[in-house]
Amino acid sequence: MPKMVDVDAQDLFSGLPQRYDLLAEILSFGQNRRWRHAMVDAAVRTSPDATRVLDVATGTAGVALYWTDRADVQVTGVDLTEQMLRRGRENVLRRGREDRIRLLLGRAEQLPFPDASFDAVTFTYLLRYVEDPAATLVELARVLKPGGALASLEFAVPANPGWHAAWIGYTRGVLPLAGRLTGGPEWSRVGSFLGPSISGHYQAHPVERIVEYWRAAGIDSVRTRRMSLGGGLVMCGRKARDDG
């Protein structure tokens, strides 16, 4: 990831952690949590015996915490923004999960782990913030054991024309204003950024092409699930086994 992409992502999220968990649910009408649970549930079904999990773009550790609710696992969470991790550590301590979750500063494109270190890997709202999504998926797959689950959650653009028009209205008009009213200038900035960012991402990387990136990284049986009228996209697949 070029330095400018790093700085943009860090700058965008550095002012959000204090109210991130609450406002993420309010501004998504409660769908954010539902989507995260669907992603982890898909990974658990794919790798039911997983014990070591990596959660990339872990943020305030919401996904990491749900992993420990859902399965008997040890979770390593990685994020680029120290302020988000600080809030995540507070959440982990509040839930008494510090013996099962560790949070580290790191980048998805250069993970500080050996090959095949984890039984399952999840990542959330990541690919719009990296320079090369295909190369990032190769790196995520590198640290995953053969047969392990790779699962993701991303925002998406509704395909139905009516819901697409409503989505445009919400993301371009309502979300920036609602962000300002509930969270101040930082959330207004994020609200203004999200809609164009999501649209631009899928113009450059349609879902069908992203599936190809997964397969090129060695992930088989890739499944996609559009949620909430197409506003969320959960993907899951299994790393090919080495038959040699």
Side-chain angles (χ1 to χ4, degrees):
M1 180 192 294
K3 184 176 181 180
M4 187 172 70
V5 177
D6 283 349
V7 170
D8 286 348
Q10 288 176 309
D11 186 48
L12 186 68
F13 289 104
S14 62
L16 304 186
Q18 185 175 3
R19 303 181 67 190
Y20 178 86
D21 300 298
L22 175 62
L23 292 181
E25 295 306 317
I26 292 174
L27 297 177
S28 70
F29 302 104
Q31 297 307 294
N32 177 63
R33 180 177 301 181
R34 178 171 170 257
W35 296 344
R36 292 185 307 186
H37 288 189
M39 174 187 66
V40 173
D41 290 346
V44 170
R45 288 193 297 270
T46 302
S47 295
D49 298 324
T51 59
R52 296 192 65 202
V53 172
L54 175 66
D55 183 49
V56 179
T58 198
T60 59
V63 170
L65 285 164
Y66 183 63
W67 261 112
T68 60
D69 290 339
R70 187 67 173 78
D72 184 14
V73 292
Q74 297 286 325
V75 183
T76 300
V78 171
D79 199 273
L80 186 65
T81 306
E82 179 59 45
Q83 292 90 333
M84 297 288 275
L85 288 175
R86 191 176 302 124
R87 185 66 172 182
R89 293 185 183 104
E90 293 174 1
N91 291 339
V92 169
L93 286 170
R94 189 177 301 113
R95 292 282 304 278
R97 300 291 170 83
E98 61 271 22
D99 60 332
R100 299 177 61 190
I101 298 173
R102 65 168 181 159
L103 301 179
L104 305 173
L105 192 68
R107 297 165 45 157
E109 304 91 328
Q110 296 177 336
L111 294 168
F113 310 110
D115 295 354
S117 296
F118 298 94
D119 304 305
V121 175
T122 51
F123 62 96
T124 308
Y125 308 135
L126 170 67
L127 295 185
R128 284 181 296 115
Y129 299 102
V130 300
E131 180 71 15
D132 189 339
T136 300
L137 281 161
V138 170
E139 175 66 357
L140 293 166
R142 178 186 67 79
V143 300
L144 180 61
K145 293 180 180 179
L150 180 67
S152 73
L153 164 62
E154 300 283 354
F155 291 116
V157 179
N160 177 276
W163 289 118
H164 182 262
W167 180 86
I168 289 289
Y170 180 70
T171 58
R172 273 33 171 212
V174 177
L175 191 56
L177 177 60
R180 176 172 290 277
L181 292 175
T182 57
E186 294 89 353
W187 277 91
S188 177
R189 182 184 176 199
V190 170
S192 299
F193 166 82
L194 276 178
S197 170
I198 296 165
S199 296
H201 175 69
Y202 287 107
Q203 289 171 3
H205 308 280
V207 173
E208 295 77 12
R209 189 175 302 165
I210 294 172
V211 171
E212 293 175 5
Y213 298 161
W214 282 55
R215 291 173 175 158
I219 307 299
D220 292 338
S221 304
V222 181
R223 305 180 300 281
T224 62
R225 178 185 176 188
R226 293 182 180 271
M227 300 185 67
S228 304
L229 305 172
L233 177 66
V234 172
M235 298 181 61
C236 188
R238 186 191 308 273
K239 185 174 179 178
R241 296 185 183 277
D242 184 1
D243 295 331

